[in-house]
Amino acid sequence: MSQPLSERIKNLPASATLAMAAKARELKNEGKDIIGLSLGEPDFNTPEFIKEAAIEAIQADYNSYTPVDGYAELKDAICTKFKRDNGLEYAPNQIVVSTGAKQSIANVVQVLINPGDDVLLVAPYWVSYSAMVILAEGNPIEIRSDIKTDFKITPQQLEDAITPKTKLVMLNSPNNPSGSMYTKAEYEALAAVLEKHPNIYVLSDEIYEHINYDGVTPFSFAAVPSMYERTITVNGLAKAFAMTGWRIGYLGGPAWIAKACTKIQGQVTSGTNCIAQRAAITAVLAPVSKIKYMVDEFDFRRKRIIDLLQDIEGFTVNVPKGAFYVFPDISFFFGKKLNGTRIESASDFAMYLLEKANVATVTGDAFGCPNNIRISYAASLEEIEEAIRRIKEAVS
Ligand code: PMP
């Protein structure tokens, strides 16, 4: 039977991170002892105080449809959070709560991008950005960076990438996959370029905001005064609160964009889960100190994994300031043979590690950085140490 799928879905790339996780699962099911360092998911449980808020919501019979853009109390809490953590003044009509930050981002792309519009993706970028742009029939345009500039772009690179078709720039700091963070001064320099191009909007994905190290303070792009009116700030609870499966994300931005996002969400999903939203009120308002134990643990593992990776010949290792990934440059191995396997790309290398070291990582190709692989350290210290031992053995 023919399978007449739409061109839209045929043209949509599958998620490379999920594909790697699926391949790793398959090998695991075959009985292989795979260590999975490919997924971006905290290995903690959701904190008790948030679970309790959800249980209370169930007992209090929260079970109806919610407002499409989220409960008023949650939107108020998000306004408080934006002011407290980011110095951003948003009114409730500028906030939309969604089914994960993923939906917040997809909404923004859908409501801003016309077919043929250019969207600038600052590489390395999260894999789903380009797919979302393709789905909206926009053109994903990469601006590349590499380990030499700590995976950050220069204002000149941004300027050079802008064309009359440019509609949106997608930024992500702390960054998945590199863990790099743009400083206030670096963002101000990028903003100075955009000031000359008043028709360009900016999506600032800040989902890893609270996971940062070495005293580096995250900075919101919308906090550059000239950028506030055209920046959409996206955040969510998945990462810092260990709530990936609860599916709560949100955005703050111009009221007309929030209204359009509510419109599309109203036709596609409606408001997100009511219990998760009630619990989110507690999570969003909680002092950041309540989740510090997780960040401290990530920091400990970060230092350990950097030490271990720096010890492997051929790995050039960055020192991430946020998130829970390292993104080493492994181009040293390109054109070489490892135990009879020729390595030509980061994808070859990641596949080699999966098959020979039984360690799942993700190729940098998927993030617009073809010399790198992403290794998540959201895993136990024992797993991390064993994984790196195996990697070292497999490439020596
Ligand atoms: N942005 C980035 C940079 C991410 O890494 C992720 C999750 N992997 C998301 C957004 C989506 O988060 P959520 O689970 O809230 O949809």
Side-chain angles (χ1 to χ4, degrees):
M1 207 173 98
S2 74
Q3 299 181 339
L5 292 171
S6 67
E7 293 306 312
R8 189 178 311 110
I9 195 69
K10 281 194 260 176
N11 293 336
L12 190 68
S15 159
T17 45
L18 296 183
M20 192 54 157
K23 174 92 187 153
R25 209 175 305 120
E26 197 182 299
L27 292 175
K28 226 174 194 165
N29 289 342
E30 287 170 13
K32 284 206 169 162
D33 169 28
I34 304 288
I35 302 178
L37 301 183
S38 66
L39 268 189
E41 175 153 60
D43 59 324
F44 292 98
N45 288 321
T46 303
E48 282 303 319
F49 72 98
I50 302 173
K51 291 187 338 197
E52 277 159 22
I55 292 164
E56 273 168 31
I58 294 173
Q59 303 292 12
D61 291 320
Y62 278 98
N63 42 37
S64 307
Y65 287 128
T66 79
V68 171
D69 52 347
Y71 283 123
E73 297 94 317
L74 177 53
K75 295 202 304 167
D76 285 345
I78 291 168
C79 292
T80 304
K81 176 257 172 289
F82 272 132
K83 187 149 201 259
R84 178 193 70 185
D85 299 340
N86 314 96
L88 294 173
E89 296 274 358
Y90 288 121
N93 69 345
Q94 296 179 271
I95 305 292
V96 183
V97 180
S98 298
T99 302
K102 203 172 213 168
Q103 189 185 21
S104 304
I105 299 165
N107 284 344
V108 172
V109 173
Q110 282 293 328
V111 307
L112 284 182
I113 299 308
N114 278 314
D117 284 346
D118 284 355
V119 179
L120 301 183
L121 306 181
V122 175
Y125 54 84
W126 183 43
V127 288
S128 293
Y129 293 168
S130 54
M132 289 172 183
V133 173
I134 291 169
L135 205 52
E137 297 177 49
N139 306 316
I141 310 283
E142 287 179 0
I143 310 179
R144 292 212 161 173
S145 70
D146 61 28
I147 202 160
K148 290 192 224 70
T149 58
D150 190 25
F151 302 105
K152 295 180 200 173
I153 61 158
T154 61
Q156 189 61 48
Q157 280 181 287
L158 177 60
E159 181 80 67
D160 292 346
I162 291 172
T163 72
K165 290 199 297 179
T166 307
K167 182 77 181 279
L168 180 66
V169 182
M170 297 177 80
L171 299 174
N172 171 220
S173 171
N175 182 268
N176 172 9
S178 69
S180 296
M181 287 170 72
Y182 281 83
T183 62
K184 180 172 186 259
E186 286 163 344
Y187 263 176
E188 281 169 346
L190 296 182
V193 173
L194 294 174
E195 279 169 17
K196 292 181 260 169
H197 303 275
N199 300 326
I200 300 179
Y201 293 83
V202 177
L203 185 149
S204 175
D205 178 350
E206 302 178 6
I207 188 142
Y208 293 96
E209 173 189 26
H210 292 313
I211 306 177
N212 61 70
Y213 315 106
D214 299 340
V216 177
T217 319
F219 182 75
S220 290
F221 196 75
V224 181
S226 62
M227 293 294 113
Y228 174 82
E229 284 295 342
R230 45 165 144 157
T231 300
I232 304 98
T233 308
V234 172
N235 210 323
L237 301 185
K239 311 294 177 175
F241 295 87
M243 293 174 71
T244 49
W246 296 63
R247 311 307 301 130
I248 296 283
Y250 54 87
L251 63 77
W256 58 274
I257 293 179
K259 193 173 164 197
C261 290
T262 304
K263 184 172 168 188
I264 189 164
Q265 192 161 294
Q267 294 289 25
V268 177
T269 56
S270 300
T272 194
N273 179 287
C274 59
I275 306 302
Q277 282 193 55
R278 298 311 302 180
I281 300 171
T282 301
V284 163
L285 291 177
V288 178
S289 58
K290 282 221 168 192
I291 51 170
K292 193 169 174 296
Y293 67 97
M294 291 189 268
V295 181
D296 287 345
E297 179 60 31
F298 286 136
D299 192 14
F300 187 73
R301 298 173 191 173
R302 175 184 71 118
K303 290 180 176 137
R304 185 82 186 117
I305 197 168
I306 292 170
D307 276 352
L308 293 171
L309 287 173
Q310 277 173 339
D311 207 32
I312 304 180
E313 197 200 353
F315 275 63
T316 309
V317 185
N318 65 316
V319 178
K321 296 292 184 194
F324 37 60
Y325 313 99
V326 269
F327 200 50
D329 183 315
I330 46 75
S331 57
F332 170 85
F333 296 100
F334 296 175
K336 295 197 168 72
K337 268 192 170 175
L338 289 172
N339 294 307
T341 306
R342 202 171 170 78
I343 306 295
E344 296 292 1
S345 66
S347 300
D348 290 350
F349 191 74
M351 200 44 76
Y352 175 81
L353 294 184
L354 181 61
E355 285 167 355
K356 294 291 186 322
N358 287 346
V359 177
T361 59
V362 187
T363 171
D365 287 319
F367 305 97
C369 272
N371 292 337
N372 301 70
I373 58 166
R374 188 188 80 175
I375 307 177
S376 163
Y377 51 88
S380 72
L381 199 61
E382 298 78 66
E383 284 178 301
I384 291 169
E385 288 179 343
E386 173 59 11
I388 307 306
R389 189 195 64 73
R390 289 187 198 174
I391 291 176
K392 188 172 181 183
E393 196 175 276
V395 302
S396 296

